[in-house]
Amino acid sequence: MLDKTYDPQPVESKWCGAWRRSKLFGSQAAASSGPKPFVVVIPPPNVTGALHIGHALNNTLQDILVRWHKLHGRPVCWVPGTDHGGIATQNVKERQLKAENKTRHDLGREAFVSSMQSWSSECKKTILGQLERLGCGLDWDREAFTMDAARAKAVHAAFESYWKKGLIYRGERMVNWCVRCGTALSDIEVEYEERKGHLWHIHYPLKGGGEGLTVATTRPETMLGDTAVAVHPKDARYAGLIGKSLTLPLMERDIPVVADDVVESSFGTGAVKVTPAHDPNDFEIGGRHGLALIKVIGPDGKMTSEAGAYAGLSREKARDKVLEDLKAGGRLVKTEDHRHSVGVCYRCMSAVEPLVSKQWFVRMKDLAAPALKAVEEGRFRIYPESWTKPYVEWLSNIRDWCVSRQIWWGHRIPVWYCAACREKDGYKPQVGASQPASCPDCGGTVLEQDPDVLDTWFSSALWPFSVFGWPDQGPDLSFHYPTSVLVTGYEILYLWVARMQMSGLEALGQVPFEHAVIHGIVRDKKGKKMSKSLGNVIDPLVMMDKYGTDALRFSLAVQAHPGRDIPFSEESLTGSRNFANKLWNSTRFVLMNLPETAPEGGLSLKGFAPEALDLCDRWILAEYAQTLSRCRGLMKEYEVAAAADVLYGFLWDRFCDWYVELAKIRLQGADEAAKAAPRAVLAHVLTGTLKMLHPFMPYITEELYASLKPFVGEHADFLLRSGAPEPGSEWESAGAIREMGRLIDVVKALRTLRSEMCVPPGLRISAIAEGGESRDRDLLFKYGEYVRFLARLSELKPSHDGERPPHSATAVASGMTFFVPLEGVIDLSKERQRLEKEVGRLEVEAARLAAKLGDAVFMERAPREQVDLSRSQHADANARLGRLKDVLKSL
RNA sequence: GCCCAGUUGGCGCAGUGGUAGCGCGCUCCCUUGACAUGGGAGAGGUCAUAGGUUCAAAUCCUAUACUGGGCACCA
């Protein structure tokens, strides 16, 4: 016998291990010629610590899809893995070192990387273990890491192939430099933040004396590197100055006034200081006007020797000092408050410094074109569709991708330079995974590898095929590629999804996945992002301990509407835990009412012709069939939340609250033969529902299925090997649903009456039904037992000759009037009040419908069914009204 | 500045043409042989605003406001 409440822990550890040991999600999809498998590659979590709630959501959704497809008979392959995480991971390690007052340089590159390696493999273990605990049906034999040997091979192959095709180049460009992380970043690794700042107006005098002009800037310290001032060519104020020279204050350097269209005359003073080395726009202006590049800020964020007296100061200190000196020299004309957005590093949030430096870039235009075409031709679809447009726009305006990073943790760039030749003009380094024996130019054997590593996203971009052995063109690759669907958050749509599409198309000529399912971010209940500093994080592991894994999964799934963020609160877990308990107890009930041992072949449902079943049996089977088909339709569109909700409603409302209650009539009766039908129906419907719920709540459903399976004649070792609930359509019955609805209405009306008239719940009362259509009357008396049982009646009988018992309360439902004699209990004024309220409500409705039917345009233009519907609604309302008024009069 | 999404009962959300549903919360009643992590009943919404299309609008169109997001600019 099951316990009274569901205790998740023992059930979870039992099945978690069993699934793994039996290789339930093993390599069934291994290279073979079987049916096309459902393939998913995990968005590999960074090896920076433990699983957070966002991972829980992401992986729950994937697991739901994977289990769903497996349930429906498809081979599945979900590849587990982790990401080395480049800057993010190195930062965490560096913070640890900092706590010991050390930097990575104290360890040296080799020791640092090896300590990263051992630390990251610890994290890897933790994360994968947590994914397993979440119930994820991953193919554990395929575990991959973005920096393991197989993935390194793919990285080298991709780099080399890009190099050969001229898709990768090294060049000196303006890049986003994170001073704190000490590395270049790509454009999409920069986020923009509104920050309070100032706009300083600085006067630059004309060379040799004269008025000169005033520029406006938010970054005065960069003036030390100014090599021009730009104005709009049509700006009358400055027309006379174009071509003249100004004297740069503090540096006493001559700089020209140039005319350039990009200058906005209405902003600031209409004159812009130009610092080609430290501003992307200025860099372009400099290019157009042949201006010199003077780097005054170094990669360490300090002023360089070019900054004269300011050399060695930090950016911030230099700003203060420059302003102070300008003020002292009378050059600072004005200081205004100014809000502007500042680019910050997505990993450490410190202000990014635009800097000219030599980096590796991937040429993106030609890679983006096939990816765009794939969307256009529908070979790649994004769910929800609304993310398609931003995706297309980003690809259409793509810029070259800076892929070199000045950190140590990552794939070292596979490029080798000859020490003797590297400074020569037109020198071409050698590309390859291992060190070349000698330099082809000079035969020298002193070759140095590029010290930089690749952007972590470079290896991530190859993930959907590197995990299947690419560049080897084995059967494993051809069998699994392209994968079926990728599930991820919108925050990495460009960083990752787009790049996988591009590299997949480039490497294999086919999209890496046909569908991308984009989910939202899990936020706190107020809608704020969860963060350690805000202290609003919800730890999925703590939640699993507290409420059970299935509760956590269901709670996330039922809120995961496509593309929408989830305001998550711990309270939502209570509801899901209660639902798990409801499942547990409904199974407990069913098992209590089944024979002790299952007959050979189970309790067959096939033996009952539809007409041999009771109305409630046919009804629940019809509802069940409808639920299955709805659920399947929703899952096809990745409407996971809606599917979860449909199942929840069916199990709790229809199955438990109505069917189980009605089944008790026969199960608690003395007629043994009558128990066969409800037993078979209970077993089949519950088992099928558990199967459908399994992808959402794998543990509890697996456990309960194990007890139920003999009763439906199944012997599979695991639920997922038992086949999907089938069929459904043969049980569809609009008639059963309609008829049961009529009876439910009667029960509800009588319950309301009891509650409002304060009839003690234990007191059985009788009800007399009057009037109504013969169809409804026949139905009512045929299934009078339902009403008696559910409304707790002592008797339900028809009225004779319009007999109306005195001292009765009245309810109107399904076209009939029900009199409930309540002598001694009834409060007549209360009853009158109750009925008058109902009359008022109905009068409004009848009037509304009458107006509609009296509207000639409606009658003429509305479709026939609509007119008929309104007519019958009107007749219905009037009939009820008539009955109630009748009763009121006689009261 | 451009684009996208959202705005529905106290809270969180469903609902793509016939005047609204769910969960939580709230009120009242009930420990009845699956479950109090339960059952029954109830209160509570002119679906952001203003126009328009339509016989009919939460739903379609336009504008506005607010919120969130993407992109660009940001001297």
Side-chain angles (χ1 to χ4, degrees), chain A residues 299-473:
Chain A
D300 54 359
K302 289 184 174 153
M303 307 310 286
T304 65
S305 56
E306 296 276 11
Y310 304 88
L313 295 176
S314 70
R315 295 182 288 179
E316 296 76 17
K317 290 237 169 71
R319 173 179 298 183
D320 296 341
K321 180 125 201 300
V322 162
L323 286 169
E324 204 177 289
D325 294 347
L326 285 171
K327 209 170 189 176
R331 296 291 171 206
L332 186 61
V333 180
K334 189 159 83 167
T335 305
E336 290 177 312
D337 285 338
H338 181 62
R339 284 195 73 83
H340 61 140
S341 60
V342 176
V344 298
C345 169
Y346 82 138
R347 287 306 181 200
C348 71
M349 293 299 170
S350 59
V352 156
E353 187 64 47
L355 225 64
V356 173
S357 77
K358 211 164 198 185
Q359 302 287 346
W360 284 93
F361 295 87
V362 177
R363 225 181 282 282
M364 299 307 287
K365 273 250 153 19
D366 292 347
L367 288 170
L372 280 165
K373 213 167 150 215
V375 178
E376 241 168 66
E377 294 173 355
R379 282 178 287 125
F380 172 52
R381 289 182 62 179
I382 300 177
Y383 295 82
E385 194 271 333
S386 55
W387 278 105
T388 308
K389 200 172 164 182
Y391 175 82
V392 164
E393 273 171 14
W394 186 77
L395 279 177
S396 310
N397 299 310
I398 201 156
R399 282 176 289 180
D400 284 357
W401 174 15
C402 174
V403 289
S404 42
R405 297 289 177 275
Q406 288 64 48
I407 58 174
W408 290 347
W409 181 239
H411 289 280
R412 187 100 175 243
I413 291 179
V415 169
W416 305 83
Y417 306 94
C418 169
C421 306
R422 70 177 299 172
E423 299 305 330
K424 287 185 195 161
D425 271 356
Y427 170 74
K428 283 240 179 240
Q430 296 176 77
V431 168
S434 51
Q435 181 169 349
S438 61
C439 170
D441 293 349
C442 71
T445 54
V446 185
L447 290 141
E448 289 160 2
Q449 186 170 11
D450 195 301
D452 293 350
V453 301
L454 285 163
D455 182 1
T456 189
W457 298 105
F458 190 94
S459 50
S460 312
L462 313 174
W463 188 246
F465 41 100
S466 69
V467 297
F468 295 118
W470 187 88
D472 294 346
Q473 302 283 337

Side-chain angles (χ1 to χ4, degrees), chain A residues 723-774:
Chain A
E726 281 298 345
S729 51
E730 69 184 66
W731 297 111
E732 277 166 23
S733 166
I737 288 175
R738 206 200 70 244
E739 289 182 347
M740 191 65 201
R742 300 297 270 176
L743 295 175
I744 286 174
D745 284 347
V746 172
V747 170
K748 286 194 162 175
L750 290 169
R751 280 174 173 172
T752 301
L753 181 152
R754 290 186 70 114
S755 178
E756 289 182 342
M757 296 309 289
C758 303
V759 177
L763 182 66
R764 292 197 168 263
I765 52 178
S766 63
I768 294 151
E770 183 208 69
E773 286 178 30
S774 60

Side-chain angles (χ1 to χ4, degrees), chain A residues 181-202:
Chain A
C181 299
T183 180
L185 299 170
S186 65
D187 295 322
I188 33 177
E189 288 171 308
V190 177
E191 287 175 4
Y192 290 87
E193 261 181 18
E194 277 279 304
R195 285 191 184 174
K196 262 192 283 195
H198 300 280
L199 193 58
W200 286 281
H201 294 242
I202 306 167

Side-chain angles (χ1 to χ4, degrees), chain A residues 578-626:
Chain A
N578 294 355
F579 181 53
N581 195 239
K582 192 73 181 173
L583 279 179
W584 184 260
N585 274 290
S586 38
T587 306
R588 188 163 168 255
F589 170 82
V590 170
L591 289 172
M592 281 169 74
N593 286 283
L594 292 180
E596 215 151 286
T597 49
E600 186 66 25
L603 301 165
S604 175
L605 207 48
K606 297 268 192 294
F608 304 95
E611 52 280 5
L613 296 170
D614 236 25
L615 171 61
C616 66
D617 302 327
R618 284 181 282 119
W619 171 73
I620 197 66
L621 287 168
E623 289 279 356
Y624 172 64
Q626 202 175 74

